[in-house]
Amino acid sequence: MSRFILYVISGLIGLLFIAPFIWILLTSLKSDQDIYGAVRILPQEWTLVQYIHIFQGSVNLGMYFMNSISITAVSVAAVVLLSSMSGYGFARFKFKGDVLFIGFLLLIMAVPWAVYLVPIYIMESKSGLINTKLGLILPYITLNLPLAILIMRGNYRGVSKEIEEAALMDGCTVFQTWYRIMLPIVKPGLATVFIFSAIQIWEEFMFARTLVSDNINWTLPVGITMLRSEAQSWAFGTLSAAIILSLIPLLTVFILAQQYFIRGITDGAIKG
Amino acid sequence: MISSLRTKVLFLGVFIAPSMLLLSLLMLYPLLNSIYLSLTEFNFVYSEKPVFIGLGNYIKLLSDPEFWNAAKNTLIFATFFFILLISFSLLVALLVTSDLRGMKLLRTVVFLPIIVALSLTGVIFQWILNFKFGIVNHVLDLLHLPYLIKNWLGDPDVALFSIILVSVWRYSGIVMILFIAGLQAIPGDLYEAAKIDGAGWWHRFIYVTIPNLKETFIVTGVWGIMNSIKVFEQPFVMAYGGPAGATTTLYFYSWRSSFEFYEMGYGSAIAYVVALLVLIASGLNIFVLNRDKNLT
């Protein structure tokens, strides 16, 4: 009997969590008359007209999509590369003040992002980086770098030193040892950093909304919310279709690598 | 091993310097610069350059009714969101780690909202909670519960709580994952021993599960506190701080001061208040739980 109640509770929770996805998917498959008539759960007539709007280019979603892709790709690549290098440096190299550096990284992570935004906005206004993709990519790299470095440092520290020593004995240079021996071993760490920063950057709103006012460089979250404000209440069909499309990249990664998602969360929360 | 001067220079220069250079320029400098800015009067549109006014902005905060309104909203949001987030996530984690069937599916479904950007969560729920065309009011109507039908985002008494529930939907999966990790780390023998001693489900939960989750409570607590106080996208997208300031939080008010009114100094001061609250609350959480651990 009590198991039955637990199943009912689980089912209700599951339903509550999946329902928003289903409702948005159903809305995206309705016509406008259907959406703004009497409320029905299922479409009266299933149609792809909302998706056709998007692909005909009546809204700039394709452009926002490509912006998000390119900004995320470049930023994530830089975060992975930089953290895989400096993480190794911090893990294997003792120098004066390295504890200070770690403290510095932790401090940066603890401070809310809004604190950095004003000075970065002023700096970028002065240097002409405002409204550019680079103006978003640079802060995205540095906002995600501290946690990435700490995750990579932890991963390198887990590798036994003998492996490296053997490689150095065999005549590998430090660079070769890092590239050929160490990087393949810390692949799970790289995957964690990759997914963690990809989610952060793909979903980021505050910096994207503030540093770019010109719609040519808007990312998906900004573009879609802006469309919503312009459209007020009539465009929820197209917006739903846009949201469904915007979920595809992360959904794909989610299905392919759920365990790295989970690792990213646990590592991220514990070290952050 | 790595000892020669050449390798040392190589390490510093090639492996560490690029990251540190970027971080100094785009994080450390802004961090220090915004402390200075918070001590100045600086309207980005009208002022030539920042004018130093000492603690003027912080004094102004104390007599600014909008600041106190935002502080009140942040406190309400943080309290309810934090309690709901932690208790609900723990409940789901307990279900997921139980021997019930199909719980992997439940875990995936509760975790899934992480793929939705917070800002888009706002758009989605604006539609779901729409007064006239939204599914929530429609379902309440179908269930013959008309007194529960609300203008979820348009009623000042309700809007903040709508935003709290939406945030729980968006964030529970993440905290659930942390609790699952914590629950799985508790040795099974402890439960066996408690069972032999005749402890029922509830007693095992109180005397075995809760005390052994202390580390997890620290992690989830700090995480929950940070995200309770830094609430921004939800009020921004779903109600733009309204109606009548009912969803204006400190973080949102800080952004608005800086980038709608261009009062960069004042906005920075509010941002530092948020930073301070996060640090104090997280520190308190760690302190309280660690002190408890030393006692037991």
Side-chain angles (χ1 to χ4, degrees), chain B:
Chain B
M1 170 186 61
I2 297 163
S3 52
S4 76
L5 189 66
R6 215 177 70 91
T7 33
K8 268 196 174 177
V9 171
L10 186 86
F11 251 90
L12 274 179
V14 177
F15 282 86
I16 296 176
S19 299
M20 283 305 139
L21 213 69
L22 271 176
L23 286 174
S24 311
L25 192 69
L26 284 159
M27 297 278 106
L28 184 61
Y29 169 73
L31 187 65
L32 300 174
N33 187 230
S34 64
I35 295 180
Y36 169 70
L37 281 172
S38 81
L39 302 174
T40 65
E41 168 129 41
F42 183 35
N43 185 298
F44 195 67
V45 179
Y46 303 114
S47 312
E48 283 277 297
K49 53 164 109 133
V51 180
F52 189 78
I53 53 167
L55 291 175
N57 286 323
Y58 294 94
I59 293 163
K60 186 175 147 196
L61 278 179
L62 297 176
S63 56
D64 177 357
E66 286 197 55
F67 170 78
W68 287 109
N69 174 50
K72 186 194 80 187
N73 289 336
T74 305
L75 184 70
I76 295 174
F77 181 95
T79 311
F80 284 92
F81 173 67
F82 185 77
I83 293 170
L84 282 173
L85 179 77
I86 297 292
S87 48
F88 180 73
S89 310
L90 179 57
L91 169 77
V92 181
L94 286 168
L95 285 171
V96 168
T97 51
S98 73
D99 55 354
L100 297 174
R101 262 190 250 164
M103 288 300 115
K104 240 185 177 159
L105 188 65
L106 181 67
R107 187 189 75 175
T108 304
V109 167
V110 174
F111 192 47
L112 199 59
I114 192 181
I115 66 164
V116 190
L118 209 45
S119 53
L120 298 187
T121 304
V123 179
I124 290 174
F125 277 91
Q126 244 186 349
W127 177 230
I128 287 173
L129 298 173
N130 188 295
F131 182 56
K132 207 168 156 204
F133 302 110
I135 185 73
V136 169
N137 282 347
H138 178 64
V139 169
L140 291 173
D141 193 37
L142 289 180
L143 295 173
H144 301 291
L145 297 166
Y147 47 89
L148 282 182
I149 292 178
K150 295 258 168 0
N151 192 351
W152 298 101
L153 296 171
D155 182 342
D157 294 332
V158 181
L160 190 60
F161 292 93
S162 302
I163 287 177
I164 290 172
L165 291 179
V166 171
S167 308
V168 172
W169 178 81
R170 175 58 174 65
Y171 281 124
S172 287
I174 299 171
V175 180
M176 170 197 72
I177 293 293
L178 297 172
F179 273 124
I180 291 174
L183 287 169
Q184 283 169 344
I186 302 174
D189 330 353
L190 291 179
Y191 288 106
E192 290 304 318
K195 252 187 196 169
I196 290 164
D197 290 346
W201 182 87
W202 177 249
H203 281 104
R204 289 202 298 274
F205 177 70
I206 293 293
Y207 295 112
V208 180
T209 310
I210 295 289
N212 280 291
L213 278 181
K214 230 151 228 173
E215 296 284 323
T216 314
F217 277 124
I218 292 180
V219 175
T220 53
V222 171
W223 195 92
I225 287 165
M226 288 177 85
N227 286 287
S228 310
I229 299 175
K230 295 191 305 185
V231 48
F232 176 74
E233 278 95 340
Q234 304 95 309
F236 187 114
V237 174
M238 292 171 77
Y240 203 69
T247 60
T248 296
T249 57
L250 281 177
Y251 214 50
F252 177 67
Y253 187 45
S254 158
W255 183 89
R256 218 176 162 192
S257 303
S258 299
F259 296 105
E260 191 179 324
F261 312 130
Y262 290 105
E263 292 294 348
M264 300 290 189
Y266 196 52
S268 295
I270 304 169
Y272 264 98
V273 172
V274 177
L276 211 66
L277 286 175
V278 170
L279 290 178
I280 291 173
S282 310
L284 212 65
N285 179 62
I286 294 170
F287 173 76
V288 168
L289 287 171
N290 267 337
R291 189 196 54 186
D292 274 10
K293 195 165 61 183
N294 292 340
L295 284 176
T296 47

